[in-house]
Amino acid sequence: MNSTVTILKSSILAGICIGIAGFGYLATGGLPGAVLFACGLIAVVSYKLKLYTGTAGFFQKGELGQVFLILLGNIIGCLCVGLLARVSPMPIQESAEKIFEARLAIGPIRAGLLAIGCGFLMTTAVTFARKGQYLPLLFCVPMFIVCGFPHCVADAFYYLTASLQFWGENILKIIPLYICIVIGNFIGCNLFRMVMDGKTE
């Protein structure tokens, strides 16, 4: 029980870190915003917090349930920052809805396939960051953003920042879209060890 509570608390904090990074990206936009987003993963790695895309590529036998508990905690953390974004004087909500619309426009299958790229980049970044090598992280994070590779935790922040009206109009499209992104990220996170038939570290 204590282990479950600890994992959930750590994952909520990780979601808050990514939510704040997403907030910065929405406030800034473009390549500068994508670079600033890297601070979220730097915080996660430095504090050794539990992030879905930072954990999914490293889980061992019997730990798969923990991976999805981590995702739940990450979403809760993103919700906290999403609520904060609603009181910002900046057009954060409008920027989030534009990303949301772009995801919906390409559909679940294509979003899921693109999400594989994000998962691969995230596991690459975390693999090296765990060894004290942060340069790959500073490149991999902006890379997945400029490529338009969906990140299920960052997307959770964007979606939870969108207006209730926007949700009401798109609720039936959101669920399959998000499931495909989560699966795509998971595949990408494990791509190296699936191909090489070994561990990432």
Side-chain angles (χ1 to χ4, degrees):
M1 181 63 181
N2 288 337
S3 175
T4 299
V5 171
T6 300
I7 290 171
L8 191 58
K9 289 194 294 184
S10 178
S11 60
I12 290 172
L13 280 173
I16 289 172
C17 290
I18 298 302
I20 291 173
F23 196 124
Y25 172 66
L26 294 179
T28 308
L31 184 57
V35 173
L36 288 176
F37 192 99
C39 76
L41 189 56
I42 290 173
V44 167
V45 173
S46 298
Y47 283 123
K48 298 181 179 179
L49 301 174
K50 299 290 187 182
L51 181 68
Y52 175 76
T53 49
T55 306
F58 304 94
F59 77 95
Q60 302 301 318
K61 187 177 180 180
E63 295 179 345
L64 187 58
Q66 289 185 9
V67 173
F68 291 99
L69 175 64
I70 288 167
L71 178 58
L72 174 62
N74 292 163
I75 292 172
I76 293 171
C78 287
L79 174 60
C80 294
V81 185
L83 294 173
L84 183 65
R86 293 174 184 276
V87 301
S88 172
M90 293 182 287
I92 300 298
Q93 199 168 64
E94 291 85 346
S95 298
E97 289 178 2
K98 287 181 181 178
I99 294 176
F100 207 158
E101 288 171 345
R103 298 282 192 263
L104 291 170
I106 64 174
I109 302 301
R110 286 198 290 172
L113 291 172
L114 290 171
I116 295 173
C118 175
F120 179 76
L121 289 169
M122 287 294 289
T123 293
T124 300
V126 172
T127 296
F128 285 95
R130 288 182 174 188
K131 300 174 182 178
Q133 301 174 35
Y134 285 86
L135 191 59
L137 185 157
L138 295 175
F139 282 96
C140 287
V141 173
M143 177 67 79
F144 85 71
I145 294 175
V146 299
C147 289
F149 296 158
H151 182 291
C152 63
V153 181
D155 276 26
F157 167 70
Y158 302 143
Y159 301 168
L160 293 169
T161 300
S163 68
L164 293 177
Q165 179 182 352
F166 195 91
W167 268 81
E169 293 171 353
N170 298 284
I171 187 64
L172 295 179
K173 300 177 182 178
I174 294 168
I175 296 173
L177 173 72
Y178 193 71
I179 290 173
C180 286
I181 290 172
V182 170
I183 293 171
N185 282 167
F186 185 85
I187 294 171
C189 286
N190 289 280
L191 190 60
F192 181 87
R193 63 178 179 177
M194 285 191 297
V195 173
M196 300 304 293
D197 192 27
K199 298 178 182 178
T200 51
E201 61 175 1

